[in-house]
Amino acid sequence: MSQTSDSALLRVSGVTVQFGGLKAVDDVSFEVYPGELLGLIGPNGAGKTTLMRAITGVVTANTGSIHLGDQELTHLPIHQRIRKGLAFSQQLVKPFRQISVLDNVALAAGAAHTRSPLKSLLHTDSAHEREVAREMLARVGISRHADQMPGIQPLGVLKRLEVARALAQNPKLLLLDEPLAGLNSKEAATLADTIAEINRQGVTIILIEHNLGEVMRICQRLVVLDNGRRIASGAPREVMQQPQVRAAYLGTDAPAESTEAHSA
Amino acid sequence: MLFIELVAQGLVQGSIYALIALGLTLVYGLLRILHIAHAALFTLGGYIGVLATNATGSLTLACIFAMLGAGIVGVIIYRLCYEPILRQPPFVALIASIGLYIAFEEAFRIIFGAAGLTYDAPPLQQYVSVFGSLHFSLAELVVMGSSLAIIAALGYLQTHTRVGIACQATVSDPQMAQSFGIRLRTVRDLNFFVGSALAGFAGVWVALLNNLVEPTMGSVPSYKALAIIVLGGMGSVRGTLLASLVLGVAESFGTIYLDQWLDRNAIAFALLILVLMVRPQGLFARR
Amino acid sequence: MLELKNLTCGYGTFEAVHDLSLALQPGTITALLGANGAGKSSTLMCIAGHIQLHGGSIMFEGRDISTLPAHDRVRLGLAISPEGRRLFKDLSVEDNLRVGGLIRPRSDYAHDREQVLSLFPRLGERLDSLAGNLSGGEQQMLAIGRALMTRPKLIMIDELSLGLMPKVIDLCYQALHKLREDGMAILLVEQNTDRALSVADQVCVLESGRTVWQGSAQEAARDPDLASAYLGLH
Amino acid sequence: MAYEISLLTAMGISVIFALSLNLITGFCGQISLGHAAFLGIGAYTSAMLCKAGLPFFATLPVAMLLAGIVGIVVGLASLRVRDDFLAITTMGVVFLFVGIVRQQEWLGGEMGISGIPGSGLDRLGFMWLALGLAALVAVFCIYIQKSWMGRVFNGVAEDEDTMRVLGVDVPRYKLAAFAMGTALAGLAGALYGQHFKYIGPESFGFIESITVLSMVVFGGIGSVPGVIFGAALLSALPAWFQFIGDYKLLVYGGVLFLMMRFSPGGVAGIVRSLLQRRSAGHQPGASS
Amino acid sequence: APAALADIKIGLNVPLTGFAAADGNSAHIGAQLAVEKANAQGGINGEKIVLVVYDDQASAKEATPIATKLIERDKVVGAVSGSYSAATRPSAQIFQAAQVPYVVAYSIDPSVTRAGDYMFRVSSMGEVQGRGGAKLVNELGKKRVVLVTLKNDFGQTLARGFKEGAKKFDLDIASEYEYDIKDRQFGSLIAKIKSDNPEAIYASGYYFNAGPLVSQMRAAGITVPIIGQEGYDSEKFIEIAGKAAEGTLLVTSLDRDSDVAETKEFLQKFREKANFGADMVGAATYSATAILIEGLRKTGGKGGAELRDAIAQGSYTMPIGTLQFNDLHEVNKDLQVQIVKDGAFHRHSVLHDPELLAAPTKDSK
Ligand SMILES: Nc1ncnc2c1ncn2[C@@H]1O[C@H](COP(=O)(O)OP(=O)(O)OP(=O)(O)O)[C@@H](O)[C@H]1O
Ligand SMILES: Nc1ncnc2c1ncn2[C@@H]1O[C@H](COP(=O)(O)OP(=O)(O)OP(=O)(O)O)[C@@H](O)[C@H]1O
Ligand SMILES: [Mg+2]
Ligand SMILES: [Mg+2]
C-alpha cells in the first residue's frame, strides 16, 4: 500500500476541541486509509471520545479540519456527515426503547427512505430493511434478542446492538467507541473477530478500545492520545514499545508483553 | 423622574412575580413538572390571608396560617397527585395539574363566591416616600424586602448546605440518591412544603395590594410564573429573581409605551421568546 | 457479614435471580461472575434495596434487612457503585463526592475526600466539572469514589474495569487489596474474569439467574470446567 | 335534530383540531401549548376571505396554507429550544397571537368578526363536511403512523440526538410535523369560523390551547382512535354537564385530573391494558 | 313537573362558571326576580312562566349549542341574554334564524341588534355611554382628561364614544392608555398619569379592575375626579376601593336614589334574594326579562312574530329607566350619574341629551 495523504479516506488535521478552559483535544492530526482498521487508544480522559465526536459532528472542533475523501466535513451537521458515509457506535448506548431490537436496526437500515420527509411519507414497506437488520443482528451475534425490547437487555447485548445499528447504515468509515466494554473475554474475542471480518469486507474502521489484547490482535495501526495530544502512532507493537506510551497508559512498571498475554 | 418611577414600579411587580415563581422553581427543579396548580396554592394563600386577617386582625398571624395552609395542601397535592405519576412523561403531570387547577378555582368560587373577598380594614396601606419623590405603600416595601430576603436565603441553602445538595442529587437520579442515604419523600415533601408556603405568602400580599382575592386570582400567575422560570433557566433561584425583575420592569415600560402594539401578556412572552432565541437555556442555566 | 438466603428477585413477574445463597465475610473479596444477562447487576441492586425481593432474605451483620428501604441500608454500611455508574450528572465532581459523604459527620468530609482523591488523582484535576461531562473512565472512578465516601463496611462494585485503561485497572485492584486489608467486604462483578479470579477469595457464578458454581478461589483455580464452561475463557 | 347536528359538527371540528396537535405532539414529540393560534389563523383567514366574497370552499386551502406557513416559522424558532423550553415558547406564541390580533382594527380588534357568510351548505350538509374531513384527517394520520415518516417521528420523539446519528435530518422532520399539524389546525379553524359564525381573539387563546392538549392527552397521546375519542368526548362534556350546573367545571377539572392520575395513558391506555389482560388470560405468558 | 306542558318557557344564557361568574350570578338573580314577580301576579293567563337557564361561560363555543338547545329541546318562546358579547353574538344569529325573540341585557356589541328584527337590547350602546362620559366631564368644567381603557370590546366602544363626545365638547385628551382585564396592579400606569397632570380621568373597567385602580390612584396622590361607568356599578367596587372610592363618579343606568316604585322595589327585592345590593348587570337582566314577559302578556303566551311586534311597541318603566325601542330595537334613555358617598352609590345628576345620547338606528352606519 502506498499511503500518501491524498489517498486517505479520512483526514483529520490540526483539530482542537475546547470545553471552557479545558483542551480535550489539542491540535491532533492523523489519517485513515481505505480498508484500514485503526486503533485509537489512550488513557482515560485523553480525548478519544471527544475526537470521535468532533469527526462525527456531535461537538464542533474549535480549529482544524476534517475531510472524508475529498469532501470537507468540518462544518456539516451530523446527519450530513452520516450520509456521506460515516457511522458510529457510541460509548454510552442509547437504543430506542419503544421499538424492538430488530426495529432499532431496521430504522438505521432505512436511510434511503428517511432521507427527506416527503420520501419517508411515501414509503410504508419495511420488509427489506428488516431483512438487512436480521442479517446485522446475526453478524454481531444477538439474533436471539431480535424481537425483544431493548429496555430489558443487558449491557453486552446493547453494545452489540449499537454496532449492528452502525453497520446497517452501510458506512464507508465506521467509528466504534469501546464496543468490547462489558463483554467477557470470549464474547469480546468473538465480537473483535466480527469487527476484523467486517473490516476485511471493505469497511474502514476506527476502533477506540481499552481492551489492549484485542486491539493488538486485530488493529493494523495505532494512534495514541494523551491529554488531548497525539503522542504516538504506527504499527501496534512498535507503538507499545515507546516509553511515553507505556508511561501514560500502562504504568511504568508493567511490561507490555504481560498485558498482551493477559487477555490473549 | 418618570423613568425612575417606572423602574421602581417594575421592581415592585417583579418582586411579586419572584415570590410566586420561586416556589414553582423549587418544585420544577426537583421534579421537572410544570406545576400549574401552584397558582391555586397562591390563591388559597390569598383566601386564608383575608379570612384570617379579618378574623384575628393580625396580618402576621394570617401570613403564618396562609403559609402553613398552602404548604400542607401542597404536600398533599404532591403525595396524592404527582408522586404516583412521576415516571410518566411530563405532559401527564401537566394535564393532571391543569385539571387540579380548574377544580381548585371552581371550588374557591363555589365556597367563597364568584365576586371575591376583601380585607375589612386593609393594613399597611400608608404611603411612604423614598428618596424624596418615589412613593411606595408599606405593603409594597414589605413585598420587595421579603422577596429579596427569601431568595437570598434559598439561594444560599440550595448551593451551600447539605440539604441543598441532597435536593440536587435527588433531581439528578432519585434512585441513586436513596443509595446515599437521602430520603426521597422527605426531600420532596420539604420542597413542596416550602415552595407552596411561599406561594401562599405571595397570595396574602397580592390580595393585600389589590385588596381583593378572587377565584381567578391565580390565572395570570399560572402561566406567567412558568414563563419566568423558563426565562430564568429552569430551577435556578438566581435566574428566577433576575427574570422576575426584568419582566416586571419590561412590563412596566411596555404597558405605557407599547400598549398600542402589544398587551401585557404579549410583552412578557415576546421578551421570553426573544431571550430564548438568543439563549435557548434561559438567562441562567441550571446551577 | 452479608448473608443472602435463597434470594429471589426480578422485575414484575420475571425472575432475574433465582434462589441465590451467598455469605460474605469482612476482609474478603467475592467475585460474582456470569455472562450477559445472568443477573449479576440485579443481585447488586437487590442487595442495595432498589429491586423488590420475591423470596428469601438478606441478612446484614445478623440483622434482616430484606424490607429495609435503600436509604437506611447505606447507613448500615452498604455501598454500591452501580452498573452504568449512575452519577449525579448535573452536579460537579466535588458535589458528587459530597453526596457520598452525606451520611458521614461533616468533620470527616475533608479527610475522606483526600483519601478518594489520592486513589484517583485524575478526579482531583476535574473537581469543578459536571459529572456528566467526564470521560467514560473518569466517570467510573467517580462512581467508585462516591461509594467509598460513605465509608462502607461492604462495597459492591458493578463492572469495575469497564471503560478503564489498564493503568487505572491496576490501581483499582491495588486499592481493592488495601480495602480488604482494612477489613472491608467487597462484592465484585466483573467481565474481566481472570483479573477478578486473581484477587477473589470467593467466587460465585450465575447463569440465567441460577447459581451454577460456587466456591473458594483455590477451588476455582483447580476446576478446569469452570473457566471454559461458564466464564468464556479460552 | 339541529341540536345534535350542531353538537356533532363541533365534535368533528374538535377531532380535526386535536388530531392536528397529536401529529406534532403525539407523533413527533414536540409539545405545544400554543396550538390554538393556528386554529385562529385558519379561522381569521377563512372569515376575512369569505367576507371579501370568496366562496367558503376556496378559503379552505388558503387557510391551511397560511396556518402552515406561520407554523413553519414557529417551527423554525422552536428548533432552538427543547422540552419544557419548547412548551413555554409555544405558549408564548399563542399569547403573541392574541396580543397582536386584538390590536388589529382590520381584523375586528376586540370585537372579532361576526356575520361570516355561509358556505352554501345547510346545517346537515355542513355537519357531513366536518365529519367527512375529520375522517379523512384520521385516515391520513393512521397512514403517517404506518409510513417511514411515522417511524422517524417516533424516533425523534424519543431521542432526537440518536436520530441525528442515524443520518436523519431532524430539523426538517420537525418542520414537516409543524407544517402538517398547523395546516390541519388551519383547516379546523376555517370550519370553526363557519360553524360558530363569529370569531374573536379570545376564542383562540391559551385556554383553547390547553383544552385541545387535554383532549389529546385524555384520549391517549399518539393514539389516533384515542385522540378522536378524547376530542369528541371532551368537546361535548360541558354541554352534557349542564345538569350539574354550578359544579360543571369542577367536575371537568376533576375528571381530567383523575384520568391522568389513574390512567396516564388516557382512554387508549385503559383500552390497551384491558385488551392485554384479556389476551394474557387466553394465552398465559404472552408478553409485549 | 306534571303541569310542565302548559308552562310557558323562556330561556336565559348566563355565565355561571368561569371568569365572568360573578356577573352571571347577578344576572341570574335579576332574571329570577322578574319571573318570580310575574308568577306571583298569576303568570300569563294563569300559566306559570318557567325560566330555563344554561351556563355559557361567556364563551362563544358554549353559547352556540345552548341557543340551539333552548330553541329545539326546550322550545322556549323567547330568551334573554344575561351574558357578555362573546356569548351573545353567536346566539343572536341562531335566535334570529329560528325567529325567537331575544332580549339582550347588557352585551353592547353593535352586531347583536343588526342580526335581525327579533333582537332587542335594553342597555345603551358603549358609544352612547362613552359620549355621556364626555358630557359629564364637560359639565364638571374639566378640559384636560386622561383616558384609561379596558382592553376588550366593552372598554373599546366606550373609548370610541368618549372620543366622539370629547371632540364635540372640545375636551383635551392628554393621553390614552389601555390595560388588560386581568390586570390588578397599575403602578406604572399611574406613575405616567401623574406626569400627564390631568384635570379628570375617564377610566373604563369592571369593579375588579376599577377597585384596585381607583384605590391605587388615590393612594398615589391623584385627587382629580375619576369617572367610571356601568362596569363600576357594583357594591364590590366600593368594598375593594374602600375610602378611596369616595367621590368616584359613574355614568350608568341604575339610580339608587330613584323615586320610581319599580326601581325601589327591585332594589329591595334584590338585596333580600342576593344578600348584596343590586348592580347594573342584575338590573339590566331583570329589565330584559320583565320586558320579554310583558310582551308575552300581550300575546297571551304566543311567541314568534306576534311576540316580536308586541315587545317592539310598548314603553316600559324599568329599574334602568323608561325604555322604548327604536327601529333597530335599541333604547333611547337618560343616563344616570351616580357618586360614591359614605360608602354607597347616590344620585349625582342625570344626563339628558336625546341627540347626543341617541341610540343607533337602522339607517345609521
Ligand atoms: N461536554 C464536555 N464538557 C466539559 N468537559 C468535557 C466534555 N466532554 C468531555 N470533557 C472532558 O474532556 C476530556 C476528554 O474526554 P473524552 O471523553 O474524550 O475522553 P476519552 O479519551 O474518551 O476517555 P475514556 O477512555 O475514559 O472514555 C475529559 O477530561 C472530559 O472530562
Ligand atoms: N428493568 C428491567 N426490567 C425487566 N427485566 C430486566 C430489567 N433489567 C434487567 N432485566 C433482565 O434481567 C436479567 C438479568 O439482568 P442483569 O442486568 O442483572 O444481568 P447482568 O448479569 O448484570 O448482565 P451484564 O453482564 O450484561 O451486565 C436479564 O435477562 C435482563 O433482561
Ligand atoms: Mg471515551
Ligand atoms: Mg450488569
Side-chain angles (χ1 to χ4, degrees):
Chain A
M1 275 190 273
S2 73
Q3 298 187 333
T4 66
S5 95
D6 287 345
S7 66
L9 177 63
L10 179 79
R11 205 144 31 85
V12 173
S13 21
V15 165
T16 300
V17 181
Q18 212 158 349
F19 296 114
L22 177 88
K23 270 193 181 154
V25 175
D26 190 359
D27 194 19
V28 171
S29 306
F30 69 94
E31 276 111 35
V32 188
Y33 299 97
E36 208 178 11
L37 204 179
L38 177 81
L40 182 59
I41 63 170
N44 291 125
K48 306 178 293 295
T49 301
T50 308
L51 181 56
M52 191 188 91
R53 294 173 148 205
I55 295 173
T56 51
V58 178
V59 300
T60 38
N62 296 60
T63 60
S65 69
I66 298 157
H67 287 81
L68 185 72
D70 47 10
Q71 307 184 63
E72 168 139 26
L73 301 184
T74 322
H75 301 293
L76 296 182
I78 305 173
H79 66 267
Q80 286 186 15
R81 301 188 194 204
I82 303 285
R83 287 182 192 170
K84 295 212 185 307
L86 289 185
F88 66 110
S89 87
Q90 308 195 59
Q91 189 168 4
L92 297 173
V93 283
K94 288 202 223 151
F96 294 109
R97 288 169 185 279
Q98 318 278 353
I99 55 179
S100 70
V101 169
L102 183 75
D103 287 340
N104 259 282
V105 184
L107 188 59
H113 295 328
T114 56
R115 193 160 275 266
S116 82
L118 192 62
K119 255 194 189 142
S120 69
L121 188 60
L122 297 176
H123 287 92
T124 52
D125 183 58
S126 64
H128 173 67
E129 285 70 25
R130 292 169 72 93
E131 205 42 55
V132 173
R134 269 187 211 288
E135 210 174 288
M136 296 306 151
L137 289 178
R139 230 168 164 185
V140 298
I142 50 170
S143 299
R144 245 172 355 112
H145 303 267
D147 296 320
Q148 297 169 352
M149 296 312 251
I152 57 166
Q153 303 303 327
L155 189 65
V157 173
L158 293 179
K159 277 278 177 189
R160 285 182 274 185
L161 168 58
E162 188 81 21
V163 176
R165 201 158 67 174
L167 275 179
Q169 292 171 274
N170 197 15
K172 284 191 238 166
L173 175 64
L174 179 61
L175 298 107
L176 302 173
D177 196 353
E178 301 196 26
L180 307 183
L183 304 186
N184 67 31
S185 15
K186 197 173 177 180
E187 291 167 330
T190 319
L191 186 57
D193 287 340
T194 313
I195 293 170
E197 174 60 28
I198 292 163
N199 173 245
R200 265 194 294 283
Q201 288 167 4
V203 181
T204 311
I205 296 176
I206 300 178
L207 173 69
I208 300 176
E209 201 30 82
H210 285 301
N211 188 333
L212 265 194
E214 298 300 341
V215 168
M216 302 293 283
R217 192 162 72 80
I218 63 171
C219 290
Q220 292 140 18
R221 199 158 67 89
L222 295 184
V223 168
V224 187
L225 294 188
D226 184 26
N227 266 324
R229 295 179 159 277
R230 193 182 89 173
I231 57 167
S233 67
R237 260 161 222 290
E238 287 160 27
V239 167
M240 291 318 284
Q241 294 308 331
Q242 297 184 15
Q244 75 272 29
V245 175
R246 304 175 64 83
Y249 202 54
L250 299 173
T252 37
D253 45 331
E257 298 308 318
S258 83
T259 322
E260 271 167 62
H262 182 71
S263 311
Chain B
M1 186 56 227
L2 177 64
F3 179 83
I4 296 173
E5 220 164 324
L6 287 182
V7 172
Q9 285 302 331
L11 293 180
V12 172
Q13 193 58 38
S15 46
I16 296 173
Y17 286 153
L19 270 185
I20 303 168
L22 201 61
L24 198 62
T25 303
L26 287 182
V27 171
Y28 182 85
L30 193 67
L31 297 176
R32 297 287 135 120
I33 45 183
L34 297 176
H35 175 39
I36 299 264
H38 185 71
L41 298 170
F42 162 75
T43 315
L44 178 68
Y47 273 106
I48 298 179
V50 171
L51 291 172
T53 308
N54 289 350
T56 64
S58 157
L59 188 64
T60 318
L61 263 184
C63 277
I64 293 172
F65 286 146
M67 291 176 80
L68 277 179
I72 291 168
V73 175
V75 173
I76 294 175
I77 289 180
Y78 164 65
R79 288 282 185 95
L80 292 185
C81 168
Y82 295 134
E83 195 173 53
I85 53 174
L86 279 183
R87 285 162 197 275
Q88 305 296 334
F91 50 79
V92 170
L94 174 69
I95 301 292
S97 191
I98 289 170
L100 210 57
Y101 177 74
I102 296 175
F104 262 99
E105 200 173 278
E106 285 299 297
F108 290 134
R109 185 183 58 78
I110 291 166
I111 299 170
F112 301 111
L117 306 177
T118 52
Y119 286 91
D120 292 340
L124 299 181
Q125 297 292 300
Q126 302 85 323
Y127 263 60
V128 289
S129 49
V130 186
F131 306 125
S133 52
L134 275 185
H135 295 276
F136 294 104
S137 75
L138 277 180
E140 284 173 342
L141 287 179
V142 174
V143 167
M144 273 201 282
S146 56
S147 88
L148 283 179
I150 290 172
I151 283 167
L154 271 180
Y156 180 82
L157 278 177
Q158 207 183 38
T159 47
H160 292 273
T161 63
R162 288 184 152 207
V163 178
I165 298 232
C167 286
Q168 293 185 34
T170 317
V171 177
S172 199
D173 187 336
Q175 191 179 41
M176 271 308 122
Q178 286 179 292
S179 254
F180 291 91
I182 297 169
R183 290 164 199 272
L184 273 194
R185 261 214 165 156
T186 315
V187 168
R188 289 178 173 166
D189 284 353
L190 185 74
N191 246 279
F192 258 89
F193 184 83
V194 173
S196 308
L198 285 180
F201 181 74
V204 177
W205 290 91
V206 170
L208 180 59
L209 290 176
N210 299 345
N211 191 21
L212 174 64
V213 37
E214 320 154 76
T216 53
M217 182 165 111
S219 73
V220 173
S222 71
Y223 54 78
K224 210 167 269 178
L226 285 180
I228 287 171
I229 67 169
V230 168
L231 196 57
M234 298 271 196
S236 150
V237 168
R238 266 190 315 166
T240 305
L241 175 64
L242 187 74
S244 306
L245 296 183
V246 166
L247 189 65
V249 174
E251 284 188 1
S252 174
F253 281 87
T255 47
I256 302 301
Y257 298 109
L258 290 178
D259 69 329
Q260 295 306 313
W261 295 282
L262 289 174
D263 61 16
R264 196 172 191 154
N265 286 324
I267 290 168
F269 283 99
L271 182 72
L272 173 84
I273 292 176
L274 219 67
V275 171
L276 286 187
M277 288 304 112
V278 184
R279 279 183 67 88
Q281 69 279 36
L283 289 176
F284 275 91
R286 206 178 136 64
R287 277 181 52 81
Chain C
M1 166 179 272
L2 180 79
E3 203 181 347
L4 309 179
K5 289 185 186 156
N6 307 95
L7 176 120
T8 300
C9 68
Y11 309 88
T13 54
F14 172 75
E15 275 187 6
V17 182
H18 190 77
D19 225 4
L20 171 66
S21 295
L22 189 65
L24 270 61
Q25 303 307 325
T28 64
I29 299 180
T30 305
L32 190 59
L33 306 176
N36 289 143
K40 308 177 295 290
S41 301
S42 304
T43 308
L44 296 202
M45 290 301 267
C46 182
I47 297 173
H50 297 304
I51 300 180
Q52 274 230 299
L53 219 55
H54 289 187
S57 65
I58 306 172
M59 310 289 289
F60 189 72
E61 296 188 314
R63 175 175 167 196
D64 188 348
I65 59 165
S66 309
T67 56
L68 207 63
H71 53 79
D72 287 331
R73 295 191 196 192
V74 62
R75 290 204 159 77
L76 297 180
L78 251 162
I80 185 168
S81 161
E83 181 175 54
R85 288 132 191 182
R86 308 280 296 268
L87 296 174
F88 302 116
K89 289 205 177 68
D90 30 48
L91 267 64
S92 66
V93 170
E94 172 91 61
D95 282 348
N96 268 275
L97 294 178
R98 283 168 76 184
V99 173
L102 279 183
I103 58 163
R104 306 285 313 158
R106 229 172 274 263
S107 50
D108 289 4
Y109 177 69
H111 170 254
D112 293 354
R113 173 175 173 274
E114 260 341 288
Q115 280 207 322
V116 169
L117 293 186
S118 64
L119 185 57
F120 300 118
R122 177 84 197 163
L123 291 184
E125 299 164 24
R126 318 276 299 121
L127 278 177
D128 292 328
S129 314
L130 295 189
N133 287 345
L134 294 182
S135 82
E138 291 164 346
Q139 293 194 3
Q140 184 71 358
M141 300 178 206
L142 182 55
I144 297 171
R146 184 181 63 172
L148 286 176
M149 288 298 291
T150 66
R151 291 247 211 126
K153 294 176 187 153
L154 164 70
I155 185 169
M156 304 183 279
I157 305 177
D158 204 342
E159 311 268 10
L160 172 66
S161 62
L162 184 80
L164 292 182
M165 62 167 164
K167 188 169 150 186
V168 177
I169 298 181
D170 288 344
L171 276 175
C172 285
Y173 276 97
Q174 282 164 22
L176 286 191
H177 282 293
K178 201 171 151 291
L179 294 174
R180 170 165 63 183
E181 274 159 30
D182 295 346
M184 200 181 287
I186 299 163
L187 180 55
L188 188 64
V189 168
E190 259 292 15
Q191 289 294 358
N192 194 342
T193 315
D194 32 21
R195 197 71 201 246
L197 286 178
S198 72
V199 295
D201 303 297
Q202 186 187 206
V203 178
C204 176
V205 183
L206 296 180
E207 196 176 88
S208 303
R210 289 168 197 273
T211 318
V212 290
W213 199 95
Q214 198 169 349
S216 70
Q218 290 88 338
E219 286 171 302
R222 268 183 264 120
D223 189 333
D225 283 354
L226 175 65
S228 58
Y230 301 122
L231 299 179
L233 295 175
H234 317 275
Chain D
M1 263 313 278
Y3 174 61
E4 282 78 8
I5 291 172
S6 162
L7 210 60
L8 278 173
T9 314
M11 275 186 188
I13 295 170
S14 291
V15 166
I16 298 176
F17 187 35
L19 284 174
S20 75
L21 176 62
N22 188 45
L23 227 161
I24 299 174
T25 303
F27 288 2
C28 197
Q30 307 302 303
I31 191 159
S32 171
L33 294 181
H35 206 50
F38 303 101
L39 186 76
I41 291 172
Y44 270 97
T45 310
S46 166
M48 293 303 288
L49 291 177
C50 276
K51 288 204 115 171
L54 232 62
F56 171 68
F57 287 96
T59 68
L60 288 183
V62 188
M64 290 178 70
L65 191 71
L66 207 63
I69 289 172
V70 180
I72 289 179
V73 173
V74 170
L76 277 173
S78 61
L79 288 180
R80 283 185 64 76
V81 288
R82 282 190 188 186
D83 304 331
D84 295 335
F85 286 95
L86 176 63
I88 307 300
T89 307
T90 51
M91 184 165 128
V93 169
V94 80
F95 279 105
L96 272 182
F97 172 81
V98 173
I100 291 172
V101 166
R102 64 198 304 193
Q103 302 286 16
Q104 305 304 314
E105 282 308 318
W106 60 282
L107 290 177
E110 296 292 347
M111 294 292 215
I113 302 177
S114 47
I116 301 168
S119 60
L121 294 173
D122 62 359
R123 298 177 67 87
L124 193 65
F126 190 71
M127 176 192 89
W128 286 117
L129 176 70
L131 292 180
L133 285 174
L136 268 181
V137 172
V139 169
F140 178 61
C141 287
I142 291 174
Y143 171 77
I144 288 184
Q145 267 185 318
K146 293 218 184 317
S147 74
W148 277 88
M149 181 176 257
R151 285 174 211 156
V152 175
F153 279 169
N154 274 331
V156 173
E158 191 183 332
D159 181 354
E160 56 179 88
D161 294 329
T162 304
M163 278 321 272
R164 287 203 170 89
V165 170
L166 295 186
V168 169
D169 189 350
V170 172
R172 266 174 79 186
Y173 276 90
K174 284 195 193 170
L175 285 184
F178 267 99
M180 292 190 297
T182 52
L184 288 177
L187 173 68
L191 295 172
Y192 182 102
Q194 188 56 228
H195 176 55
F196 292 110
K197 291 278 189 269
Y198 157 75
I199 53 176
E202 287 302 332
S203 313
F204 308 109
F206 182 51
I207 308 267
E208 188 64 31
S209 297
I210 291 286
T211 310
V212 66
L213 184 65
S214 317
M215 289 175 181
V216 170
V217 176
F218 185 90
I221 194 158
S223 149
V224 174
V227 169
I228 294 176
F229 181 78
L233 185 76
L234 289 199
S235 63
L237 217 52
W240 288 340
F241 276 0
Q242 282 289 349
F243 68 95
I244 40 175
D246 221 18
Y247 299 94
K248 189 166 71 170
L249 280 180
L250 184 70
V251 172
Y252 179 86
V255 167
L256 270 192
F257 162 65
L258 290 175
M259 182 59 133
M260 290 302 103
R261 165 71 179 74
F262 292 104
S263 173
V267 179
I270 297 181
V271 173
R272 214 172 295 136
S273 68
L274 280 181
L275 287 180
Q276 236 161 42
R277 198 172 302 163
R278 181 176 289 175
S279 75
H282 284 309
Q283 41 189 134
S287 67
S288 121
Chain E
L5 272 182
D7 291 345
I8 294 175
K9 287 190 189 165
I10 59 176
L12 172 71
N13 61 301
V14 278
L16 291 174
T17 58
F19 75 96
D23 278 342
N25 185 34
S26 289
H28 188 200
I29 293 171
Q32 282 174 325
L33 284 175
V35 171
E36 281 164 16
K37 183 176 170 194
N39 281 336
Q41 292 167 355
I44 291 166
N45 296 338
E47 285 176 29
K48 249 179 68 200
I49 301 166
V50 176
L51 186 68
V52 185
V53 187
Y54 291 124
D55 172 20
D56 64 18
Q57 294 175 33
S59 118
K61 225 170 104 190
E62 305 297 325
T64 308
I66 286 173
T68 324
K69 200 171 176 183
L70 283 171
I71 296 164
E72 286 241 340
R73 287 284 174 81
D74 302 307
K75 306 232 175 320
V76 296
V77 290
V80 175
S81 161
S83 189
Y84 288 25
S85 297
T88 307
R89 250 176 314 221
S91 307
Q93 312 257 349
I94 296 170
F95 283 109
Q96 175 64 32
Q99 306 197 331
V100 174
Y102 189 45
V103 188
V104 174
Y106 61 95
S107 154
I108 41 119
D109 185 302
S111 76
V112 169
T113 44
R114 303 261 173 211
D117 53 355
Y118 283 83
M119 301 297 114
F120 298 88
R121 177 179 359 236
V122 301
S123 56
S124 302
M125 300 284 298
E127 281 89 349
V128 175
Q129 295 184 41
R131 275 178 249 151
K135 185 177 169 73
L136 176 60
V137 172
N138 188 52
E139 281 178 6
L140 292 173
K142 311 285 180 190
K143 284 289 170 206
R144 188 178 161 80
V145 263
V146 162
L147 188 55
V148 181
T149 301
L150 167 66
K151 203 178 294 192
N152 73 356
D153 49 2
F154 173 58
Q156 286 189 335
T157 49
L158 284 168
R160 205 173 302 147
F162 186 86
K163 280 189 262 185
E164 286 168 20
K167 217 176 278 164
K168 186 165 175 207
F169 296 112
D170 212 18
L171 303 182
D172 165 25
I173 298 182
S175 41
E176 201 188 328
Y177 307 101
E178 296 196 327
Y179 70 89
D180 191 84
I181 188 166
K182 292 187 179 121
D183 287 350
R184 304 287 184 272
Q185 287 291 312
F186 302 92
S188 54
L189 201 77
I190 290 167
K192 186 71 176 43
I193 292 175
K194 263 167 82 178
S195 77
D196 292 332
N197 209 7
E199 293 167 359
I201 295 166
Y202 183 77
S204 56
Y206 298 108
Y207 68 87
F208 42 77
N209 309 118
L213 177 66
V214 169
S215 76
Q216 287 166 31
M217 285 210 249
R218 291 296 183 230
I222 296 180
T223 50
V224 300
I226 300 171
I227 293 145
Q229 15 51 43
E230 272 185 20
Y232 288 42
D233 195 342
S234 154
E235 285 184 347
K236 210 73 195 170
F237 164 69
I238 301 176
E239 198 179 316
I240 296 168
K243 280 201 209 71
E246 292 293 305
T248 306
L249 294 162
L250 36 149
V251 180
T252 178
S253 339
L254 179 61
D255 179 10
R256 303 309 199 287
D257 295 336
S258 170
D259 310 321
V260 182
E262 275 78 6
T263 310
K264 281 173 131 173
E265 183 194 344
F266 167 75
L267 288 173
Q268 181 210 339
K269 283 264 166 62
F270 192 98
R271 185 175 292 282
E272 278 168 17
K273 191 170 176 76
N275 264 326
F276 58 87
D279 48 21
M280 227 306 290
V281 168
T285 314
Y286 170 88
S287 306
T289 315
I291 288 173
L292 179 64
I293 292 172
E294 275 196 38
L296 283 168
R297 275 215 185 94
K298 287 185 217 159
T299 65
K302 285 215 192 65
E306 238 177 289
L307 178 58
R308 172 196 64 191
D309 297 338
I311 296 174
Q313 267 144 33
S315 165
Y316 307 90
T317 309
M318 288 291 153
I320 56 172
T322 304
L323 310 178
Q324 207 166 2
F325 293 106
N326 68 10
D327 62 345
L328 190 60
H329 296 177
E330 299 277 3
V331 289
N332 286 314
K333 61 180 180 190
D334 296 342
L335 292 176
Q336 303 293 329
V337 179
Q338 299 275 294
I339 185 167
V340 180
K341 216 189 280 167
D342 305 325
F345 293 113
H346 291 289
R347 183 190 294 158
H348 174 272
S349 56
V350 177
L351 295 175
H352 178 78
D353 188 339
E355 196 188 325
L356 180 74
L357 303 182
T361 60
K362 259 196 180 136
D363 307 326
S364 59
K365 52 125 200 141

